[in-house]
Amino acid sequence: MDWQTHARRLADEVVRPESRWHHPLATTPRHVFVPRWWADGDQGWELRDGLADPEAWMRAVYSDQTLVTRLGPLHADDAEADATTTAGKPTSSSTLPGLVVTMYRHAVIADDSRTLVTTGTGYGTALLCRRLGEERVTSVDVDAHLVKVAGERLDSIGLHPHLAACDITGELPGEYDRIVATVSVRPVPASWLRALRPGGRLVTTIAGTGLILTANKTEDGGATGRIEWDRAGFMRTRHGNDYEYPTDDVWETLAQDEAEETFTSRYPLLYPPDAWDVMSMLELQLPGIDYRLSQDGDTRTVGLRYPDGSWARATATGFLEPPVVHQGGPRRLWSALERIRNRLNREGALPVYGARVTITPDGVTTLNRGSWACTL
């Protein structure tokens, strides 16, 4: 199987030939790390087996796309052949190579940087080993099974970084010049600051947002940095075998709940995950909102649900008609969304991207830009 040709093509698509990441991309066999994956099909999630269709396998793994490898607690490696399911949401994946490289570039990795990364399938770890040498790379994941399998696949291509199964939000197994997390956190764990060497740098994303946070360790044990202008979204850190999501019954109940407030919006219907700056601003104010989008013919409904029982649903027919909004509970979720859209309409931009970041030694993280500030 001529995977090298595909890998070189991927490298040419992602970076320029003179980039230090071109050689790792061109010489790392991504297919080794993703032999099976879940594809989002018309009938739900459909299992793809690389060996069953080698040409499709090469096209998928050597394209710049994310491949889901775990739904809920079910690894694609362990699923029955031709499996199809509508249950579960992604809990692990092989991140698109271009975004992995973007995160590494934001880390400003030097040739001698001892670096901690998150494991997942192990592909991103392999790229870093090719770039730095395996002795400078530590890779961790909360899922011991993922760490074991990734270790076996790294070993099969001659790479032996330090691997550990641990909760990345807890104590880390060493000291590092760089920490790069392709999972999202809120706030930045204080353990990262303790594990960073003087002058070290961390790169992560804020949970529930499209915000990349970079920060350099300061002499007082804290860190300062900024929210980058690039966008990225990663799965949240998890502490168990799966995430907790509202069930379909909860959403069906929400769709029938009698509103405490009803009004017609002044704006077209928006599904916040489609507008990362708006979603990020809302998530910073109200962390942990769940979203649901449903469609019946030309009629679309967007649902929002907050852990304290607050809810909102907005329904519109067509794309020009303003939606009718129903909301209830302790907080007015759609009204909070409207205020953000008012600000965007008034000022032309939101202050989240480009914001300065200050992290205290105990992990209290504050963003500010101009007169706007938010503490996580």
Side-chain angles (χ1 to χ4, degrees):
M1 185 159 37
D2 181 21
W3 64 266
Q4 291 93 340
T5 297
H6 295 282
R8 287 193 295 271
R9 174 183 48 76
L10 173 64
D12 290 341
E13 290 176 0
V14 171
V15 297
R16 289 180 56 84
E18 62 269 25
S19 167
R20 293 183 178 183
W21 293 105
H22 190 277
H23 179 74
L25 286 163
T27 59
T28 301
R30 192 184 185 201
H31 68 281
V32 169
F33 299 94
V34 193
R36 301 174 110 203
W37 68 99
W38 294 102
D40 192 3
D42 294 336
Q43 305 302 317
W45 292 100
E46 302 171 353
L47 183 67
R48 297 284 188 266
D49 188 326
L51 289 176
D53 189 343
E55 290 188 11
W57 188 16
M58 293 298 101
R59 287 196 302 271
V61 297
Y62 293 105
S63 61
D64 194 24
Q65 64 174 326
T66 292
L67 299 174
V68 173
T69 54
R70 190 176 186 268
L71 290 176
L74 181 59
H75 296 272
D77 292 342
D78 301 330
E80 295 183 3
D82 300 322
T84 299
T85 180
T86 57
K89 293 193 177 182
T91 50
S92 190
S93 66
S94 178
T95 301
L96 65 154
L99 181 52
V100 173
V101 170
T102 293
M103 296 294 282
Y104 288 164
R105 282 174 162 168
H106 280 304
V108 195
I109 295 172
D111 291 343
D112 60 351
S113 296
R114 294 195 173 273
T115 304
L116 180 136
V117 295
T118 41
T119 306
T121 64
Y123 174 69
T125 301
L127 292 179
L128 193 61
C129 288
R130 298 279 199 219
R131 165 75 173 80
L132 287 179
E134 61 190 32
E135 69 281 359
R136 295 187 178 89
V137 178
T138 297
S139 184
V140 301
D141 201 291
V142 72
D143 187 329
H145 175 75
L146 282 180
V147 173
K148 176 179 179 295
V149 172
E152 293 169 350
R153 290 169 178 167
L154 287 160
D155 180 72
S156 75
I157 63 171
L159 298 176
H160 308 92
H162 177 61
L163 299 171
C166 69
D167 183 343
I168 197 172
T169 63
E171 294 303 313
L172 300 178
E175 293 185 341
Y176 312 97
D177 301 300
R178 303 289 187 270
I179 294 174
V180 184
T182 52
V183 293
S184 62
V185 297
R186 179 177 180 149
V188 173
S191 60
W192 294 11
L193 300 171
R194 293 192 292 271
L196 274 178
R197 291 175 172 172
R201 183 174 175 87
L202 63 88
V203 181
T204 189
T205 51
I206 299 174
T209 75
L211 307 178
I212 299 174
L213 183 155
T214 63
N216 302 313
K217 188 170 181 177
T218 51
E219 292 183 358
D220 66 355
T224 60
R226 70 174 185 176
I227 299 299
E228 300 292 344
W229 291 98
D230 289 331
R231 273 72 166 156
F234 289 99
M235 299 174 195
R236 301 171 187 262
T237 53
R238 56 183 170 85
H239 308 287
N241 206 30
D242 197 356
Y243 299 107
E244 292 186 4
Y245 293 104
T247 64
D248 288 341
D249 289 344
V250 170
W251 286 108
E252 289 171 6
T253 300
L254 181 150
Q256 304 300 323
D257 279 351
E258 186 172 339
E260 298 171 11
E261 181 181 2
T262 301
F263 64 94
T264 299
S265 172
R266 61 179 292 194
Y267 298 111
L269 185 64
L270 174 70
Y271 180 55
D274 289 339
W276 279 16
D277 52 349
V278 174
M279 180 188 70
S280 297
M281 194 81 169
L282 183 61
E283 180 70 19
L284 291 176
Q285 297 175 12
L286 298 168
I289 292 179
D290 285 299
Y291 305 97
R292 176 67 65 95
L293 173 64
S294 60
Q295 185 159 352
D296 182 7
D298 290 335
T299 300
R300 295 175 300 138
T301 298
V302 172
L304 278 62
R305 185 179 180 277
Y306 196 60
D308 68 358
S310 302
W311 61 272
R313 66 176 185 269
T315 302
T317 300
F319 287 89
L320 298 179
E321 177 185 325
V324 176
V325 178
H326 305 266
Q327 58 184 356
R331 304 170 191 265
R332 297 293 183 255
L333 301 183
W334 204 269
S335 296
L337 176 62
E338 295 267 290
R339 287 192 291 273
I340 292 170
R341 298 183 75 179
N342 287 342
R343 180 169 190 165
L344 177 60
N345 191 47
R346 182 177 66 250
E347 300 178 9
L350 295 172
V352 284
Y353 290 99
R356 295 185 58 206
V357 173
T358 303
I359 309 172
T360 66
D362 57 357
V364 177
T365 304
T366 300
L367 282 55
N368 72 278
R369 188 174 177 209
S371 60
W372 174 81
C374 175
T375 297
L376 305 185

